[in-house]
Amino acid sequence: MNISNDTGGMDSSKLLDYVTNKFPSDLAAMISARDELAVRQGALSAAEDTVKLKAQAAAALESANAEAAALRAEAKVYVQEAKAQKAAADKREKDLNDRDDKANAEFAAREKALSVKETQVQSQMNALDAKDARLFADQAQLESDRLALDARIKAFQDKVASINV
């Protein structure tokens, strides 16, 4: 088929022969070529869509990796902060336990010293009670000795008065 029409004119018998014999086969070939081009265009569009989707997936993956890296970094910061807080809490707990142990030791020492003092005071009280008992006994003895002495003095004075008379 001559599409560019660069040859001379065509006579009508050739045209009629072409339209009746050759044109249907050329038309079928052109329709087939058109369908083939449509299929190839569809495949090319699908390939382009696949490339676009692959690029979008790569961008999404890169974004997700960046976000995950940021989250990991943030989590590391939180972990470090938590470790620091735990270390501070452990130190504070140790300090409080040490102070508690020291206070308990001081309390036990004071309690022991108080117990020793109570024992000393009790033995002093017992000694004082014994001295008081001896003192009362000595006082009673002294009173009875004084009464006896007074009686003897009176008897002696009576005897001396009876001699002088």
Side-chain angles (χ1 to χ4, degrees), residues 31-155:
I31 289 174
S32 175
R34 182 199 65 188
D35 291 345
E36 175 92 18
L37 283 174
V39 168
R40 287 185 183 182
Q41 182 63 38
L44 186 59
S45 295
E48 287 174 350
D49 289 346
T50 302
V51 169
K52 285 179 186 176
L53 289 175
K54 188 176 178 182
Q56 288 174 351
L61 178 64
E62 186 64 32
S63 173
N65 283 340
E67 188 175 335
L71 288 174
R72 276 193 300 271
E74 188 177 344
K76 283 181 182 179
V77 168
Y78 287 141
V79 166
Q80 292 300 324
E81 288 175 358
K83 284 180 181 178
Q85 288 175 352
K86 184 183 182 309
D90 288 346
K91 183 181 182 310
R92 178 158 169 73
E93 180 182 12
K94 184 185 177 300
D95 290 345
L96 289 174
N97 286 340
D98 290 346
R99 282 184 20 199
D100 188 43
D101 292 344
K102 183 179 176 183
N104 286 339
E106 288 176 0
F107 177 74
R110 286 181 184 166
E111 194 172 81
K112 185 176 180 181
L114 181 62
S115 177
V116 167
K117 283 229 185 240
E118 283 177 348
T119 304
Q120 289 174 346
V121 167
Q122 187 60 41
S123 63
Q124 287 176 351
M125 290 295 286
N126 290 341
L128 285 175
D129 287 344
K131 284 182 182 179
D132 276 349
R134 270 186 276 133
L135 183 62
F136 285 130
D138 288 348
Q139 209 173 21
Q141 181 65 40
L142 182 63
E143 186 61 29
S144 79
D145 286 349
R146 188 183 63 76
L147 288 175
L149 182 61
D150 284 346
R152 281 180 65 198
I153 290 174
K154 179 121 171 100

Side-chain angles (χ1 to χ4, degrees), residues 10-24:
M10 196 185 247
D11 65 13
S12 62
S13 68
K14 284 185 181 179
L15 180 61
L16 186 59
D17 183 46
Y18 173 76
V19 168
T20 56
N21 293 329
K22 185 100 168 119
F23 181 69

